[in-house]
Short mmCIF file of all heavy atoms in Angstrom, two decimals:
data_model
loop_
_atom_site.label_atom_id
_atom_site.label_comp_id
_atom_site.label_asym_id
_atom_site.label_seq_id
_atom_site.Cartn_x
_atom_site.Cartn_y
_atom_site.Cartn_z
N PRO A 487 -13.81 23.30 25.96
CA PRO A 487 -13.75 24.81 26.24
C PRO A 487 -13.10 25.10 27.62
O PRO A 487 -12.36 26.12 27.65
CB PRO A 487 -15.16 25.18 26.11
CG PRO A 487 -15.91 24.16 25.39
CD PRO A 487 -15.29 22.78 25.65
N ILE A 488 -13.39 24.30 28.55
CA ILE A 488 -12.73 24.56 29.86
C ILE A 488 -11.15 24.47 29.80
O ILE A 488 -10.46 25.26 30.28
CB ILE A 488 -13.33 23.62 30.90
CG1 ILE A 488 -14.80 23.82 31.15
CG2 ILE A 488 -12.54 23.74 32.19
CD1 ILE A 488 -15.51 22.83 32.17
N ILE A 489 -10.78 23.33 29.16
CA ILE A 489 -9.30 23.17 29.01
C ILE A 489 -8.64 24.28 28.18
O ILE A 489 -7.61 24.83 28.47
CB ILE A 489 -9.02 21.79 28.38
CG1 ILE A 489 -9.55 20.64 29.09
CG2 ILE A 489 -7.51 21.63 28.07
CD1 ILE A 489 -9.01 20.51 30.63
N LYS A 490 -9.35 24.81 27.19
CA LYS A 490 -8.95 25.88 26.38
C LYS A 490 -8.79 27.16 27.23
O LYS A 490 -7.86 27.93 27.14
CB LYS A 490 -9.82 26.14 25.26
CG LYS A 490 -9.39 27.16 24.27
CD LYS A 490 -10.28 27.36 23.09
CE LYS A 490 -9.84 28.54 22.14
NZ LYS A 490 -10.71 28.73 20.99
N THR A 491 -9.93 27.40 28.04
CA THR A 491 -9.85 28.56 28.88
C THR A 491 -8.69 28.54 30.01
O THR A 491 -8.07 29.51 30.20
CB THR A 491 -11.23 28.67 29.71
OG1 THR A 491 -12.32 28.75 28.71
CG2 THR A 491 -11.15 29.85 30.58
N LEU A 492 -8.45 27.34 30.58
CA LEU A 492 -7.38 27.09 31.49
C LEU A 492 -6.03 27.46 30.85
O LEU A 492 -5.08 28.08 31.31
CB LEU A 492 -7.35 25.68 31.99
CG LEU A 492 -8.39 25.43 33.09
CD1 LEU A 492 -8.32 23.92 33.46
CD2 LEU A 492 -8.21 26.32 34.33
N SER A 493 -5.81 26.87 29.63
CA SER A 493 -4.54 27.09 28.88
C SER A 493 -4.27 28.67 28.52
O SER A 493 -3.22 29.05 28.51
CB SER A 493 -4.40 26.28 27.61
OG SER A 493 -5.49 26.62 26.77
N GLU A 494 -5.39 29.32 28.27
CA GLU A 494 -5.33 30.74 28.00
C GLU A 494 -4.95 31.64 29.28
O GLU A 494 -4.20 32.52 29.18
CB GLU A 494 -6.64 31.34 27.34
CG GLU A 494 -6.83 30.69 25.98
CD GLU A 494 -8.27 31.06 25.37
OE1 GLU A 494 -9.05 31.57 26.22
OE2 GLU A 494 -8.48 30.75 24.20
N ASN A 495 -5.58 31.16 30.41
CA ASN A 495 -5.35 31.90 31.60
C ASN A 495 -4.15 31.48 32.30
O ASN A 495 -3.45 32.30 33.03
CB ASN A 495 -6.47 31.68 32.49
CG ASN A 495 -7.82 32.38 32.00
OD1 ASN A 495 -7.77 33.17 31.24
ND2 ASN A 495 -8.92 31.77 32.51
N ASP A 496 -3.62 30.33 32.09
CA ASP A 496 -2.46 29.72 32.76
C ASP A 496 -1.67 29.04 31.75
O ASP A 496 -1.76 27.81 31.60
CB ASP A 496 -2.85 28.85 33.96
CG ASP A 496 -1.55 28.41 34.72
OD1 ASP A 496 -0.50 28.73 34.26
OD2 ASP A 496 -1.85 27.83 35.85
N PRO A 497 -0.70 29.70 30.99
CA PRO A 497 0.11 28.83 29.93
C PRO A 497 1.24 28.11 30.51
O PRO A 497 1.95 27.48 29.69
CB PRO A 497 0.58 30.17 29.12
CG PRO A 497 0.71 31.30 30.03
CD PRO A 497 -0.43 31.12 31.10
N SER A 498 1.36 27.99 31.79
CA SER A 498 2.54 27.15 32.34
C SER A 498 2.16 25.65 32.09
O SER A 498 1.06 25.39 31.62
CB SER A 498 2.62 27.53 33.83
OG SER A 498 1.43 27.02 34.56
N TYR A 500 1.45 22.02 33.22
CA TYR A 500 0.87 21.26 34.35
C TYR A 500 0.02 20.17 33.83
O TYR A 500 -0.31 20.10 32.59
CB TYR A 500 0.12 22.17 35.32
CG TYR A 500 -0.86 23.09 34.44
CD1 TYR A 500 -2.19 22.62 34.11
CD2 TYR A 500 -0.50 24.45 34.00
CE1 TYR A 500 -3.01 23.33 33.34
CE2 TYR A 500 -1.45 25.16 33.25
CZ TYR A 500 -2.70 24.57 32.89
OH TYR A 500 -3.53 25.32 32.07
#
Side-chain angles (χ1 to χ4, degrees):
I488 296 175
I489 300 301
K490 183 179 180 182
T491 301
L492 283 175
S493 63
E494 290 172 351
N495 295 336
D496 184 355
S498 62
Y500 50 83

